[in-house]
Amino acid sequence: MDYKSIIQEQLANMDLSDLQSIMNDTSLESGGVVPNLSIQDILNKAINGQPIFDSQVIIHNFIDLFLYEIKSSIILGVQLVTICIVIGLLTNLSNSFGNKAASRLGIIVCSCFVIGLCLNNFSQTFDMCSDTLNTMTRTMQILLPILIPLLISIGGITTGSILNPVIVGSITMFNTILQKFILPAIFISSIFILVNSLTERDYVNKLGVFLRGVATFATGLCVTFFAGLTAIQGFVSETADGVLINTARYSVNNFIPIVGGFAADSIDMVLSCVGVIKNGISIFGVILVIFLLAIPLIKLMAIAIIYKVTAIIIEPIGNKQVSGCMNEMGNSVITMAVVLFLAALMFLVFLTIIIGIGGGSLLK
């Protein structure tokens, strides 16, 4: 039996339907931008030395998606610019005719419309980030019960026993911190910034900017702590597992008469095939997390650009306070994108650690 048959047989005995379902849903929701890959395709192309996907087609699809999101977000920008033009006209009329009370009331009403539009858009952005984070977390929770037994089966007994609770605990805690504290802090800071645009004084603007900065710092701190803890645990336990499996291979080769060498070679072949499957599934998980990140990240960047451009356009024709608010809203959207990127980065670090572990136990 060759290694391809062993890999096919092992894959047939594994339940990968949930993982494949997430890839199918991601490809469907992206409108064909994300290719619908399978673990079998990745392993076959990797074994045959073929590229997993056409990078030029992927880049072209993402550029088209970005332009489409820009066009979709322009509607929001046009609405905001129109309202700010009305605010500018009311301000000029009040200066010309001296009826400041009526014009001031009109300006407040228009500013409330601006707040409503921005709040509705940012609420949708918040929900999109929350859903993406939940999907990435669910992907990792599906991957770990598949990867850890494979890691243990190739000799990573100590590593699998240690990493499983560490990674599961890190993912659960990190998701809880993001969902309960960091993302709501960014949302609240945006509300403060929007409310502050109703007045000419900075009442809660600095508080909103402070909350946003704290959220970004806390996300980076969590990623550094959890990823560093996992990496240290993995590197320490990998040494013990490498010694264990190499000792077992040496014992089979030297202490079993006649068939010891053949048995050792067979063990090497099986371990190598399992290692290929582990790495193939891990690479599939890396690609899936990247695609899950890329789609909302492109949308967030398009929205942030619209906010920034709108702030530039309305500054000379509208209220400077509203212009500054639009600029800060763009910064808040960028902060959401940064938080989402850091979360995906931590998940990618976990997967790359699992890919790297086990290589020592396959050395002959």
Side-chain angles (χ1 to χ4, degrees):
M1 181 178 293
D2 61 354
Y3 67 94
K4 291 184 179 181
S5 301
I6 296 176
I7 292 175
Q8 294 286 349
E9 182 180 349
Q10 293 298 321
L11 282 177
N13 295 327
M14 300 175 65
D15 184 11
L16 305 173
S17 57
D18 291 339
L19 202 59
Q20 189 63 51
S21 176
I22 296 177
M23 174 61 82
N24 296 339
D25 293 340
T26 303
S27 178
L28 183 63
E29 293 174 1
S30 67
V33 174
V34 173
N36 193 358
L37 300 173
S38 67
I39 298 175
Q40 185 66 57
D41 293 336
I42 292 177
L43 286 174
N44 289 337
K45 291 180 179 180
I47 292 173
N48 297 325
Q50 300 174 349
I52 297 176
F53 47 76
D54 191 341
S55 58
Q56 293 183 349
V57 174
I58 295 294
I59 294 173
H60 184 267
N61 289 341
F62 280 134
I63 292 175
D64 289 342
L65 177 63
F66 177 74
L67 295 177
Y68 173 79
E69 293 298 333
I70 288 287
K71 293 177 183 178
S72 301
S73 302
I74 284 177
I75 298 175
L76 174 64
V78 171
Q79 292 174 336
L80 294 173
V81 169
T82 303
I83 295 175
C84 289
I85 290 175
V86 175
I87 292 175
L89 291 174
L90 290 174
T91 303
N92 291 331
L93 288 175
S94 66
N95 294 332
S96 300
F97 297 100
N99 192 4
K100 294 185 177 180
S103 63
R104 183 60 186 168
L105 179 61
I107 291 173
I108 292 177
V109 172
C110 292
S111 298
C112 289
F113 276 110
V114 171
I115 291 176
L117 288 173
C118 293
L119 192 59
N120 178 64
N121 177 261
F122 197 78
S123 177
Q124 295 175 358
T125 302
F126 176 87
D127 291 338
M128 179 181 65
C129 291
S130 180
D131 292 341
T132 302
L133 180 63
N134 286 332
T135 305
M136 287 193 293
T137 302
R138 180 167 169 264
T139 301
M140 292 297 298
Q141 290 172 344
I142 294 173
L143 275 170
L144 286 179
I146 299 173
L147 293 177
I148 295 300
L150 290 174
L151 183 62
I152 293 176
S153 66
I154 61 174
I157 300 174
T158 305
T159 304
S161 301
I162 293 177
L163 281 187
N164 190 33
V166 170
I167 296 181
V168 170
S170 299
I171 291 173
T172 303
M173 189 176 298
F174 185 66
N175 184 51
T176 302
I177 292 174
L178 283 181
Q179 297 282 5
K180 301 297 183 181
F181 300 101
I182 293 178
L183 291 181
I186 298 174
F187 190 81
I188 293 173
S189 70
S190 301
I191 294 177
F192 286 161
I193 293 171
L194 286 172
V195 171
N196 194 80
S197 65
L198 290 173
T199 64
E200 295 180 356
R201 295 183 180 181
D202 289 337
Y203 288 106
V204 290
N205 186 65
K206 290 183 174 59
L207 176 60
V209 174
F210 173 76
L211 284 176
R212 193 174 61 204
V214 170
T216 306
F217 175 78
T219 305
L221 189 64
C222 290
V223 171
T224 303
F225 175 77
F226 290 134
L229 178 64
T230 305
I232 292 173
Q233 295 279 8
F235 294 153
V236 171
S237 57
E238 183 184 8
T239 304
D241 288 330
V243 173
L244 177 63
I245 192 62
N246 287 324
T247 302
R249 183 186 295 113
Y250 176 82
S251 300
V252 171
N253 190 21
N254 291 276
F255 294 102
I256 297 180
I258 303 174
V259 297
F262 176 76
D265 292 338
S266 300
I267 291 174
D268 284 339
M269 184 176 182
V270 173
L271 291 179
S272 298
C273 292
V274 175
V276 169
I277 295 174
K278 173 185 74 72
N279 291 341
I281 296 175
S282 299
I283 293 171
F284 180 84
V286 169
I287 294 173
L288 182 54
V289 170
I290 291 175
F291 285 155
L292 288 173
L293 169 68
I295 302 299
L297 202 62
I298 289 174
K299 295 181 179 180
L300 291 173
M301 289 298 101
I303 295 172
I305 289 174
I306 292 300
Y307 275 125
K308 292 287 186 178
V309 173
T310 303
I312 294 173
I313 294 174
I314 68 177
E315 186 174 11
I317 62 176
N319 193 321
K320 289 185 178 180
Q321 198 73 12
V322 177
S323 174
C325 172
M326 294 298 101
N327 185 65
E328 290 297 331
M329 286 299 297
N331 292 335
S332 296
V333 174
I334 293 174
T335 303
M336 296 282 281
V338 170
V339 169
L340 202 60
F341 173 79
L342 290 176
L345 180 63
M346 191 185 78
F347 296 150
L348 292 176
V349 169
F350 289 162
L351 291 175
T352 53
I353 289 174
I354 294 176
I355 291 175
I357 291 174
S361 60
L362 297 176
L363 294 176
K364 296 182 180 181

